[in-house]
Amino acid sequence: MASTAQSPDGVYYYESADQVPSNITKYWLQRHNIFSKYDEGVWLTNDAWFGVTPEPVAKKIADHVATAPAAKTILIDAFAGAGGNVIAFALSGRWKQIFAVEKDPKTLACAKHNAEIYGVAKKIFWIEGDIFTVLKTRLKSTAKNAVIFASPPWGGPSYTNFDVFDLSYMEPYSLTHLYEAFNGASSEVALYLPRTTDIRQLAKYAKKDEKLQVVHYCMRGASKALCVYYGSFAVNVHADASE
Ligand SMILES: C[S@@+](CC[C@H](N)C(=O)[O-])C[C@H]1O[C@@H](n2cnc3c(N)ncnc32)[C@H](O)[C@@H]1O
């Protein structure tokens, strides 16, 4: 099993196919699409492979989140994982401060290491902890002036088994749980959710007369996931379509 000299237990850099657990092979074959700098020694836990946002999608999301009001200069990545999104946020140069919160220390070590590979680790404040506690304590006053981006775990019954996925079954945090915690803390919140998400559930939280922006992020013509943007974002998907 590959592991660089410095990587903690349970954190790996797989260099060749024979090192990769069979349930990860499918993702490992996509490694350069997930992290273009993978070969520079990107670290992942075996769990992180399943949730990391591929780099082209993370970059496009960073462009869209950047359209929040200019007065918002702080970004909080609530579930930083192995760093797929937070690296893209830091590379965008849009944010004066970026906080990356992750409760699993090994996964957080991956995110920091991967951000070093991309040259942005020092632009990010790394917080090991539970985002729901951190928002009530360390980031309580910061959150009001921040945009919150959240790519939660998509556990529970697999969204791929449903044409329309009911987010009340998403585990361990349902849409209601996420919305109440994040939209209670900040007026600008972007949630990264399964592509089969029931849009009507998202719409229930729109303000009166507000038109919600929901964007599908596609690779090779197929949706990978969607983001719902609550608050003032000026996402212009028409400009993207002509790129
Ligand atoms: C889908 S992954 C995020 C992937 C990340 N966007 C990326 O591109 O690498 C979700 C992450 O949330 C973390 N997590 C789960 N519950 C959490 C909590 N309450 N507070 C902070 N992190 C949490 C998990 O450990 C996991 O790494």
Side-chain angles (χ1 to χ4, degrees):
M1 191 169 279
S3 170
T4 60
Q6 315 91 312
S7 69
D9 277 356
V11 169
Y12 309 108
Y13 165 57
Y14 294 123
E15 282 183 273
S16 58
D18 59 312
Q19 301 167 326
V20 181
S22 56
N23 61 335
I24 293 172
T25 301
K26 173 176 125 181
Y27 300 91
W28 186 80
L29 292 171
Q30 295 293 316
R31 64 198 179 283
H32 298 118
N33 205 14
I34 297 174
F35 284 108
S36 62
K37 296 187 185 234
Y38 182 84
D39 292 348
E40 293 183 32
V42 160
W43 287 358
L44 289 162
T45 64
N46 286 344
D47 282 345
W49 282 96
F50 300 98
V52 62
T53 305
E55 195 169 308
V57 172
K59 183 179 179 316
K60 189 52 75 183
I61 291 172
D63 291 346
H64 291 164
V65 173
T67 66
K72 290 237 164 167
T73 57
I74 303 170
L75 183 118
I76 298 171
D77 185 342
F79 302 103
N85 290 103
V86 79
I87 290 169
F89 290 130
L91 286 171
S92 77
R94 158 73 171 79
W95 307 99
K96 281 200 178 135
Q97 285 185 317
I98 299 180
F99 295 89
V101 184
E102 168 58 50
K103 73 169 188 186
D104 177 56
K106 290 184 193 329
T107 311
L108 186 66
C110 295
K112 279 188 198 169
H113 172 83
N114 298 338
E116 273 162 24
I117 290 175
Y118 281 82
V120 293
K122 291 200 169 69
K123 296 187 178 184
I124 300 165
F125 295 94
W126 302 98
I127 301 179
E128 182 188 320
D130 175 337
I131 183 63
F132 303 104
T133 307
V134 170
L135 279 179
K136 289 185 198 144
T137 52
R138 183 158 167 197
L139 293 182
K140 189 173 181 191
S141 51
T142 306
K144 290 188 207 78
N145 303 313
V147 174
I148 299 179
F149 171 77
S151 57
W154 298 347
S158 174
Y159 66 91
T160 54
N161 294 337
F162 297 87
D163 289 337
V164 178
F165 181 59
D166 180 342
L167 291 170
S168 59
Y169 294 131
M170 194 165 68
E171 292 175 8
Y173 317 115
S174 66
L175 174 65
T176 307
H177 186 113
L178 297 169
Y179 183 88
E180 286 175 0
F182 299 147
N183 293 64
S186 168
S187 51
E188 268 70 40
V189 175
L191 301 179
Y192 183 72
L193 296 167
R195 61 177 182 267
T196 52
T197 287
D198 186 349
I199 304 287
R200 291 164 303 182
Q201 289 180 314
L202 303 179
K204 270 193 202 150
Y205 291 110
K207 305 245 163 19
K208 193 170 178 291
D209 298 330
E210 180 189 15
K211 277 200 179 159
L212 278 188
Q213 300 175 85
V214 176
V215 181
H216 278 271
Y217 293 90
C218 302
M219 283 169 65
R220 289 182 220 92
S223 176
K224 288 273 150 210
L226 60 77
C227 265
V228 56
Y229 292 90
Y230 289 108
S232 301
F233 292 91
V235 178
N236 184 351
V237 286
H238 301 295
D240 295 339
S242 61
E243 274 176 12

